[in-house]
Amino acid sequence: MPNIIVSRFIARCLRSIGVIAQGREPDENELDDAFDSLNEYIAYLNRDGLMTFRIQRITDTVTASTVSRTIGTGGNITSGGERPDKIERAGILTGSGQSTLERPIQVLWNADEWARIPLKSQQSTEITSLYYDPTMSTSAEYGTIYYFPVPSAANSLAYYLSGRLSKFTDAESQITLPDGY
């Protein structure tokens, strides 16, 4: 899809569904309503994982005795933007430079799986699984990653995060997406 301005995209959509006549531009109220609806729709698509168009890989070092870290705006780990909805997969990194080896670690998908671990304070030199709780409070825009076992030494990890569509800040924002979106 070529780059397009949000207001032009909205006008095309309103014409195609018959809300405004061909050749007519939406008035300010129509544009504002459609802009709000577009952002609500993007939030819906992100929530249901329907518009993931990239996987972002970020790395971080978890220090010894770290039980959890936060990720997202204002968190311990910055993911280049908003709090991710999901960690798709993760790996532990060993070695250095071109000899770095990445071994998968288990990502627990829900609180029930995390609850099945009876001794969450157990320690080991390497993390073997993690649980991501994307819940955010009204005062913070980050989720929490819990590690098991708790590392007794520093661990370098790679996280693979779903790329989300961002809400538009104004109707003159530019849309740039890969073909097919």
Side-chain angles (χ1 to χ4, degrees), residues 2 26-27 36 51 54 79 83 93 99 104-105 107 137 139 146 152 155 167 169 171-172 174 177:
D27 65 33
D36 291 342
M51 292 299 283
R54 67 179 167 83
S79 58
R83 165 194 59 85
L93 305 171
S99 299
I105 62 174
V107 176
S137 69
S139 62
Y146 298 93
S152 59
N155 283 219
K167 288 184 177 181
T169 54
E172 297 310 308
Q174 194 170 60
L177 295 170

Side-chain angles (χ1 to χ4, degrees), residues 98-115:
Q98 292 185 351
S99 299
T100 301
L101 176 67
E102 182 173 331
R103 288 180 286 118
I105 62 174
Q106 181 181 22
V107 176
L108 305 174
W109 294 112
N110 57 52
D112 289 338
E113 290 181 13
W114 179 245

Side-chain angles (χ1 to χ4, degrees), residues 20 23-24 27 33 51-52 62 75 81 85 88 94 102-103 115 121 124 140 144 152 168 171:
I20 60 174
R24 184 177 158 257
D27 65 33
D33 287 347
M51 292 299 283
T52 299
V62 179
D85 286 331
E88 296 288 336
T94 55
E102 182 173 331
R103 288 180 286 118
S121 61
S124 181
T144 306
S152 59
F168 300 107

Side-chain angles (χ1 to χ4, degrees), residues 2-154:
N3 295 343
I4 187 169
I5 305 297
V6 173
S7 59
R8 293 190 65 209
F9 175 74
I10 289 172
R12 286 173 53 192
C13 291
L14 292 176
R15 282 188 211 104
S16 71
I17 61 173
V19 172
I20 60 174
Q22 290 298 325
R24 184 177 158 257
E25 294 298 318
D27 65 33
E28 189 174 331
N29 289 334
E30 291 167 328
L31 185 61
D32 287 346
D33 287 347
F35 178 79
D36 291 342
S37 294
L38 177 60
N39 275 333
E40 288 171 11
Y41 187 62
I42 288 171
Y44 162 78
L45 293 172
N46 284 331
R47 188 173 47 252
D48 286 351
L50 298 175
M51 292 299 283
T52 299
F53 64 93
R54 67 179 167 83
I55 300 293
Q56 177 188 11
R57 180 182 185 265
I58 61 169
T59 59
D60 181 53
T61 299
V62 179
T63 58
S65 302
T66 300
V67 174
S68 66
R69 304 228 333 129
T70 55
I71 185 169
T73 305
N76 307 120
I77 306 166
T78 56
S79 58
E82 299 176 358
R83 165 194 59 85
D85 286 331
K86 183 178 179 183
I87 296 176
E88 296 288 336
R89 58 189 176 278
I92 190 163
L93 305 171
T94 55
S96 63
Q98 292 185 351
S99 299
T100 301
L101 176 67
E102 182 173 331
R103 288 180 286 118
I105 62 174
Q106 181 181 22
V107 176
L108 305 174
W109 294 112
N110 57 52
D112 289 338
E113 290 181 13
W114 179 245
R116 286 190 203 108
I117 297 174
L119 185 60
K120 292 174 180 60
S121 61
Q122 177 182 336
Q123 288 200 342
S124 181
T125 55
E126 288 189 354
I127 295 167
T128 59
S129 59
L130 63 82
Y131 167 61
Y132 175 57
D133 181 359
T135 306
M136 62 182 243
S137 69
T138 55
S139 62
E141 294 186 23
Y142 51 78
T144 306
I145 303 169
Y146 298 93
Y147 304 104
F148 181 79
V150 175
S152 59

